[in-house]
């Protein structure tokens, strides 16, 4: 790294440290339910596409900038994907099966939050970077469950999305959130297929006092 770049990075780090030091900062955790699906070409090529229910869990940092405005960076583990039916051909003939695509991400959202009701009810919006850490497909045919297959080669390692949130926080530190994340980039590593993640999250969390 050149000397000029080092100076810029140092100034940015110093500025960030000063901003954080001068503002109220809250630390917390959040976890809850994911309802995830795909939006795009995938639904046109399979039967009975439905959402996958799973969970998310992670840490939260809320930096209060103004009386009603704050920034909330997070780091979370999120289990996403989709469920669908398809016909597969076996030695004994064709059979309808249920398949689950399991995509696990390390998500790093950054929400700008505006408190409609001071310190209680907030609206949030911001970008999210998703780093895929797992991609598997599980197939069930009747009572038979086939070994999970690694499908990492078919999905992009990075997912960018935009999150929208409605959240409520109690004086005790307990908080609740309803969030929707809409993918902005194609998650398929196949040129002819364009799909994006779509995830609803219902969460409960706690800010430490």
């Amino acid at each position: 790294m050149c000397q000029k770049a080092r100076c810029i990075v140092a100034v940015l780090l110093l500025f960030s440290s000063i901003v954080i030091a001068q503002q109220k900062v809250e630390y917390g955790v959040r976890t809850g339910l994911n309802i995830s699906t795909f939006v795009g070409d995938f639904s046109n090529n399979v039967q009975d596409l439905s959402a996958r229910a799973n969970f998310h869990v992670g840490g939260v940092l809320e930096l209060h900038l103004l009386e009603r405005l704050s920034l909330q960076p997070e780091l979370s583990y999120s289990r996403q994907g989709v469920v669908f039916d398809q016909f597969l051909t076996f030695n004994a003939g064709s059979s309808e099966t249920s398949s689950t695509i399991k995509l696990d991400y390390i998500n790093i959202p950054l929400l700008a939050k505006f408190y409609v009701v001071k310190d209680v009810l907030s609206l949030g919006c911001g970008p999210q970077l998703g780093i895929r850490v797992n991609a598997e497909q599980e197939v069930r045919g009747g009572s038979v469950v086939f070994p999970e297959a690694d499908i990492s080669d078919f999905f992009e390692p990075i997912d960018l999305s935009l999150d929208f949130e409605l959240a409520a926080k109690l004086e005790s530190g307990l908080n609740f959130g309803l969030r929707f994340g809409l993918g902005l980039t194609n998650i398929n590593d196949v040129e002819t297929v364009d799909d994006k993640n779509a995830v609803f999250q219902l969460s409960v969390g706690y800010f430490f006092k």
Side-chain angles (χ1 to χ4, degrees):
M1 185 184 295
C2 66
Q3 187 66 29
K4 183 177 180 181
R6 288 196 185 100
C7 291
I8 293 174
V9 171
V11 170
L12 290 175
L13 290 175
L14 178 61
F15 177 76
S16 299
S17 300
I18 292 173
V19 169
I20 293 175
Q22 291 181 345
Q23 305 297 329
K24 177 185 175 183
V25 179
E26 292 184 277
Y27 304 87
V29 292
R30 65 186 291 268
T31 186
L33 176 68
N34 279 355
I35 303 295
S36 62
T37 188
F38 294 164
V39 177
D41 296 332
F42 193 85
S43 60
N44 298 325
N45 300 319
V46 298
Q47 293 182 324
D48 297 326
L49 182 73
S50 59
R52 183 193 182 201
N54 220 279
F55 74 92
H56 62 273
V57 61
V60 180
L61 173 68
E62 184 170 5
L63 172 62
H64 295 265
L65 303 178
L66 300 172
E67 185 178 22
R68 292 179 180 265
L69 182 66
S70 67
L71 286 179
Q72 183 167 296
E74 302 175 10
L75 180 65
S76 66
Y77 176 72
S78 181
R79 305 198 72 177
Q80 301 169 199
V82 73
V83 179
F84 63 96
D85 293 337
Q86 63 180 156
F87 283 95
L88 295 180
T89 301
F90 306 100
N91 293 334
S94 297
S95 176
E96 185 175 10
T97 63
S98 175
S99 295
T100 302
I101 291 181
K102 303 177 180 180
L103 301 180
D104 298 347
Y105 290 91
I106 298 296
N107 286 332
I108 309 173
L110 176 61
L111 298 183
K113 299 178 63 175
F114 176 76
Y115 279 89
V116 181
V117 179
K118 184 182 176 183
D119 297 330
V120 179
L121 186 67
S122 64
L123 298 174
C125 180
Q128 175 178 274
L129 169 66
I131 303 170
R132 183 181 52 74
V133 294
N134 185 55
E136 294 179 331
Q137 182 173 359
E138 178 186 86
V139 179
R140 294 174 178 266
S143 60
V144 180
V145 179
F146 297 91
E148 292 185 345
D150 185 353
I151 53 174
S152 300
D153 292 340
F154 298 100
F155 290 92
E156 295 285 355
I158 299 297
D159 176 43
L160 298 178
S161 60
L162 186 62
D163 287 356
F164 303 89
E165 182 185 64
L166 171 65
K169 182 164 59 176
L170 306 181
E171 189 174 351
S172 63
L174 192 65
N175 58 86
F176 306 91
L178 177 62
R179 184 178 300 185
F180 174 66
L182 178 61
L184 301 176
T185 56
N186 185 11
I187 60 173
N188 278 293
D189 195 12
V190 181
E191 292 183 358
T192 58
V193 181
D194 188 352
D195 282 300
K196 297 175 176 62
N197 279 316
V199 185
F200 283 98
Q201 292 186 336
L202 181 63
S203 65
V204 59
Y206 183 78
F207 282 105
F208 299 101
K209 297 297 184 177

